[in-house]
Amino acid sequence: MSGKNLSEELFKPRFKHPETSTLVRRPRHANPAVFSTLEGQSQRGWYRMLNKLLWSWRGVSPLEISEVLARIATSREEHTRADWLDTVIGYRNGNWNYEWSKQAAGWQQQALTTEDDALAGEQWLQASHGYSLAAYPYIKGDELADQAQVMANRAYEEATRRLPGELKALTFPIEGGSAITGFLHMPAGATAPYPTVLLCAGLDSLQSDHYRLFHDFLAPRGIAMLTLDMPSVGFSLKWKLTQDTSFLHQQVIRQLADVAWIDHTRVAAFGYRFGANVAVRLGYLEVPRLRAVACIGALVHELLSNPVLQQQLPDMYLDVLASRMGMPSITDEALHTELNRYSLKTQGLLGRRTPTPMLAAHWQNDLFSPPEEAQLIARSSSDGKVLEIPASPLMASFDRGLNQICDWLAQRLKR
């Protein structure tokens, strides 16, 4: 893409696109001050939760995050809501998607002119992160977000061609609807077929967001990582989230025997937040095909069944839940009723014993996933384990917790 195209076409002001915060119609409440390691912080004056810690953990410079947020915060363009800084109407200066896409395009332009393959790979990865953030929080019907997701995946494929390991995009046919694409990350210095971890991500991420998890934690242990987008996001855009939360992942697991690079007898699932709901469900429904399940900050029962806790969630997160379920217009009461059906305890799974080994990691004082959630998961396995991750120092504790989880998975994926 030429510099002229980037500056004159990609960033030409456009004003007809719907603004993200208007896409889900539900009662608005005073955004509570919430902090979570995996979701970030709900701050007064912002619609989106600002997940600076996790974004920087993935590889985005904290300085870059601050610069982009400052451009958004100081915009004097028209807003959907004057009290939400990230609601600039139209694709122009100050619009969330515009500013992050502009940042990503800068990295993309550098990558196109860099001769050193490894450096270009890092620059493409930064471009992928930027486009992913441009689409955040991936509300269905957000035209600009859909475009940014496509750009994020293209940049990610360019990045992984140049970075350690190998990536293959795999297409899986799905019964009753559109096929989906997953990314198989294969470690350098190991031989196929690989023991493989199926990553079940949260509702507010793309599968292209998880390179560091593969590169720093799974690849050194000789483990491949297969990622899939959650329903209504990325390559799974045409699917909506249903009470059968593991539907897509389950169909993929049943096809792994046909993938030459994967040792289908050594597969584990690793899920976080709502992805943990998927992973734990698989631990019941796919006992012969899964060696183990690990999860962190799981959403499997309490938050889904407790309307008091739900009222403490920020508007953005409730919008994400409603969007994934294909309910762009919904009342609080209807959302509570629907979410209760997603509880694995309500479904009659959690509380029953499964032979699948399950590790559940958690933080203390986590609104999204109280410690009792992890204990319930561990008690429901004949080989269960609870891992508490200290809240401080945050980054070091998070890395140490991930290393413990990956060591546990590696033990269970041995021949």
Side-chain angles (χ1 to χ4, degrees):
M1 188 179 290
S2 70
K4 179 180 179 181
N5 284 341
L6 281 174
S7 61
E8 295 182 10
E9 295 301 323
L10 187 57
F11 303 115
K12 185 184 294 183
R14 297 177 177 90
F15 309 106
K16 293 183 179 179
H17 297 291
E19 194 275 308
T20 306
S21 70
T22 66
L23 292 169
V24 175
R25 297 175 297 280
R26 32 169 302 279
R28 295 300 182 193
H29 309 285
N31 257 0
V34 171
F35 173 77
S36 158
T37 303
L38 295 179
E39 275 76 27
Q41 191 165 13
S42 172
Q43 292 184 197
R44 184 178 179 184
W46 294 83
Y47 167 68
R48 290 166 177 82
M49 296 188 73
L50 303 181
N51 205 343
K52 299 176 187 178
L53 285 169
L54 191 58
W55 297 341
S56 60
W57 182 87
R58 289 173 180 164
V60 185
S61 160
L63 179 60
E64 187 172 3
I65 294 170
S66 296
E67 288 176 351
V68 176
L69 294 182
R71 294 203 299 267
I72 294 168
T74 56
S75 174
R76 297 182 179 275
E77 303 290 354
E78 182 184 1
H79 290 65
T80 298
R81 281 184 49 159
D83 56 335
W84 281 345
L85 298 169
D86 52 330
T87 61
V88 168
I89 300 169
Y91 191 68
R92 55 182 173 181
N93 291 331
N95 173 270
W96 178 278
N97 189 289
Y98 178 93
E99 294 295 352
W100 278 110
S101 292
K102 185 177 181 179
Q103 200 73 16
W107 284 108
Q108 177 176 302
Q109 194 64 18
Q110 288 185 52
L112 288 168
T113 57
T114 297
E115 295 182 2
D116 181 272
D117 238 22
L119 179 57
E122 291 294 340
Q123 291 165 340
W124 277 115
L125 188 60
Q126 291 297 326
S128 177
H129 290 325
Y131 285 124
S132 177
L133 284 172
Y136 174 77
Y138 323 104
I139 302 290
K140 196 160 188 178
D142 191 334
E143 299 163 4
L144 294 174
D146 292 347
Q147 295 169 20
Q149 289 177 61
V150 172
M151 296 295 287
N153 285 320
R154 287 177 181 171
Y156 191 63
E157 291 192 61
E158 291 289 344
T160 52
R161 282 175 47 204
R162 297 165 171 83
L163 295 172
E166 184 181 358
L167 180 138
K168 287 190 181 293
L170 305 177
T171 300
F172 297 97
I174 302 296
E175 179 184 340
S178 301
I180 61 173
T181 298
F183 290 157
L184 176 63
H185 304 70
M186 296 175 286
T191 305
Y194 308 101
T196 301
V197 166
L198 174 63
L199 180 65
C200 309
L203 295 174
D204 54 355
S205 66
L206 298 178
Q207 58 177 311
S208 58
D209 291 331
H210 301 99
Y211 182 78
R212 184 178 177 188
L213 176 62
F214 166 68
H215 179 270
D216 289 10
F217 297 92
L218 294 174
R221 294 168 171 85
I223 300 173
M225 180 177 80
L226 176 61
T227 58
L228 300 172
D229 285 311
M230 289 290 278
S232 89
V233 181
F235 287 109
S236 303
L237 188 64
K238 294 183 179 179
W239 293 91
K240 72 175 183 178
L241 189 69
T242 69
Q243 297 156 37
D244 186 2
T245 57
S246 58
F247 175 76
L248 296 179
H249 294 73
Q250 194 170 359
Q251 293 213 32
V252 167
I253 282 179
R254 293 176 178 180
Q255 298 177 52
L256 294 186
D258 301 323
V259 180
W261 303 282
I262 293 177
D263 183 347
H264 69 281
T265 67
R266 292 192 291 160
V267 175
F270 177 27
Y272 67 89
R273 284 303 190 238
F274 214 99
N277 187 295
V278 174
V280 172
R281 205 168 189 276
L282 291 171
Y284 282 92
L285 303 181
E286 293 297 330
V287 172
R289 295 182 176 91
L290 277 184
R291 286 279 190 97
V293 167
C295 57
I296 183 168
L299 290 181
V300 290
H301 173 64
E302 186 63 25
L303 188 73
L304 302 172
S305 61
N306 188 333
V308 175
L309 281 181
Q310 291 167 20
Q311 288 296 318
Q312 298 177 49
L313 295 179
D315 275 317
M316 186 211 85
Y317 200 81
L318 291 169
D319 285 357
V320 167
L321 290 169
S323 175
R324 299 292 174 268
M325 296 185 295
M327 296 179 172
S329 180
I330 192 169
T331 65
D332 288 344
E333 294 75 17
L335 183 59
H336 164 61
T337 300
E338 186 64 23
L339 285 174
N340 189 50
R341 299 185 178 116
Y342 287 73
S343 159
L344 299 188
K345 190 173 182 181
T346 301
Q347 291 181 13
L349 296 175
L350 269 179
R352 288 171 44 199
R353 188 62 64 93
T354 175
T356 305
M358 294 201 290
L359 180 153
H362 71 94
W363 290 270
Q364 286 290 344
N365 303 315
D366 182 359
L367 169 66
F368 291 80
S369 182
E372 292 77 15
E373 204 90 326
Q375 294 159 11
L376 176 61
I377 292 169
R379 287 198 308 270
S380 299
S381 169
S382 57
D383 182 11
K385 179 178 180 179
V386 173
L387 174 65
E388 181 177 328
I389 302 177
S392 179
L394 187 55
M395 285 294 200
S397 295
F398 189 41
D399 279 355
R400 186 163 55 250
L402 284 175
N403 272 309
Q404 290 175 279
I405 291 169
C406 291
D407 282 343
W408 184 88
L409 287 169
Q411 283 293 322
R412 277 145 187 82
L413 289 174
K414 283 184 175 179
R415 291 191 184 276

